[in-house]
């Protein structure tokens, strides 16, 4: 089993902060954030604000990746927009950046192939990312080689972390993220829409469970069901609950 190359940084249900098991790899993995990718940023931000009553806020700039979750003039690079999920996790919206040249290769998260917004992947926060990758490979799953990344925050600060290549929505395995000593984005003044539930389907639930086990990660929701590969997060909006999967729908 191998992870395909895809970026950005990502509870029992109801709390938004599940811990995930990590036998033999140090501290438990924790849900860090969910990634909602879109080919049309302005439209997607409006579609989120309408049913939830909250508009995602600028989270800073990813330089040079050819993506941004919304046009943030004067920032340069690739800005992102965020919502808090509670419990030290957040929801990230990302899409093409019309202000940047096209990247040399495909944009992360499979953005180039999207026809509409989709919850494509999730990230778990770990310590000792190199050791965890080694352990996963020994168990038969390669999450990819960790790389260093950083971004500027709206107040001029800098966040830095290491992560394995994010997925494109083709599987359910999360990417790993080690923030070291850098502050977590959820610690800022983010509007919070609590995470109510996170569900998933996969054509072979057993294979999905095997990948999670190799990573030392427990799925933070109801058992994975059989069906097309997909994630759905239900958030508590100002006007009621909203499900984010392929688009946003009030529930």
């Amino acid at each position: 089993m191998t992870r395909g190359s895809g970026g950005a940084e990502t509870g029992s249900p109801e709390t938004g902060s599940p811990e995930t098991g990590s036998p033999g790899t140090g501290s438990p993995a924790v849900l860090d954030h969910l990634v909602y990718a879109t080919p049309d940023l302005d439209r997607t931000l409006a579609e989120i604000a309408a049913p939830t009553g909250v508009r995602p806020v600028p989270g800073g700039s990813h330089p040079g990746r050819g993506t941004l979750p919304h046009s943030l003039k004067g920032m340069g690079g690739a800005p992102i927009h965020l919502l808090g999920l509670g419990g030290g996790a957040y929801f990230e919206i990302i899409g093409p950046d019309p202000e940047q040249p096209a990247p040399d290769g495909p944009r992360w998260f499979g953005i180039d192939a999207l026809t509409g917004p989709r919850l494509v992947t999730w990230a778990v926060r770990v310590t000792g990312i190199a050791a965890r990758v080694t352990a996963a490979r020994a168990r038969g799953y390669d999450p990819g080689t960790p790389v260093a990344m950083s971004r500027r925050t709206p107040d001029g600060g800098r966040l830095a972390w290491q992560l394995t290549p994010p997925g494109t929505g083709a599987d359910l395995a999360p990417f790993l993220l080690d923030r070291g000593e850098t502050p977590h984005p959820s610690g800022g003044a983010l509007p919070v829409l609590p995470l109510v539930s996170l569900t998933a389907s996969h054509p072979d639930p057993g294979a999905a469970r095997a990948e999670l086990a190799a990573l030392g990660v427990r799925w933070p929701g109801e058992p994975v069901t059989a069906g097309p590969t997909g994630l759905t997060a239900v958030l508590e909006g100002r006007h009621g609950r909203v499900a984010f999967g392929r688009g946003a729908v009030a529930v």
Side-chain angles (χ1 to χ4, degrees):
M1 295 181 287
T2 59
R3 159 73 89 191
S5 295
E9 314 156 311
T10 287
S12 63
E14 303 295 338
T15 70
S17 58
E19 288 193 345
T20 56
S22 52
T25 53
S27 301
V30 177
L31 176 64
D32 190 84
H33 66 279
L34 306 176
V35 180
Y36 192 64
T38 174
D40 188 328
L41 300 166
D42 290 325
R43 176 178 294 181
T44 295
L45 288 174
E47 289 174 349
I48 290 173
T52 66
V54 176
R55 190 174 181 86
V57 299
S61 176
H62 282 305
R65 284 292 175 183
T67 56
L68 64 87
H70 185 50
S71 297
L72 185 61
K73 304 299 184 182
M75 289 292 294
I80 66 171
H81 276 65
L82 309 173
L83 292 168
L85 295 175
Y90 65 94
F91 189 84
E92 177 177 311
I93 303 93
I94 192 163
D97 180 359
E99 301 298 320
Q100 291 196 59
D104 294 335
R107 293 178 175 89
W108 285 5
F109 305 120
I111 287 172
D112 295 320
L114 292 175
T115 58
R118 181 185 175 192
L119 186 62
V120 292
T121 191
W122 55 303
V124 293
R125 189 164 67 252
V126 302
T127 57
I129 191 170
R132 188 175 287 265
V133 167
T134 297
R137 288 171 174 165
R139 297 182 186 119
Y141 178 72
D142 185 0
T145 301
V147 297
M149 290 190 67
S150 66
R151 67 176 170 87
R152 292 291 178 183
T153 58
D155 62 5
R158 179 177 180 272
L159 303 179
W161 63 94
Q162 296 182 72
L163 81 170
T164 56
T168 62
D171 62 24
L172 297 182
F175 61 100
L176 308 178
L177 192 153
D178 188 338
R179 295 188 180 276
E181 300 301 318
T182 200
H184 193 268
S186 68
L190 297 183
V192 175
L193 299 183
L195 177 62
V196 176
S197 65
L198 183 61
T199 57
S201 60
H202 190 276
D204 186 346
R209 287 193 296 270
E211 292 181 349
L212 295 174
L215 287 170
V217 170
R218 179 179 60 81
W219 171 248
E222 297 298 318
V224 177
T225 59
T229 301
L231 297 166
T232 301
V234 176
L235 310 187
E236 191 69 62
R238 301 291 188 266
H239 310 309
R241 294 181 175 182
V242 180
F244 291 86
R246 292 184 179 270
V249 180
V251 295

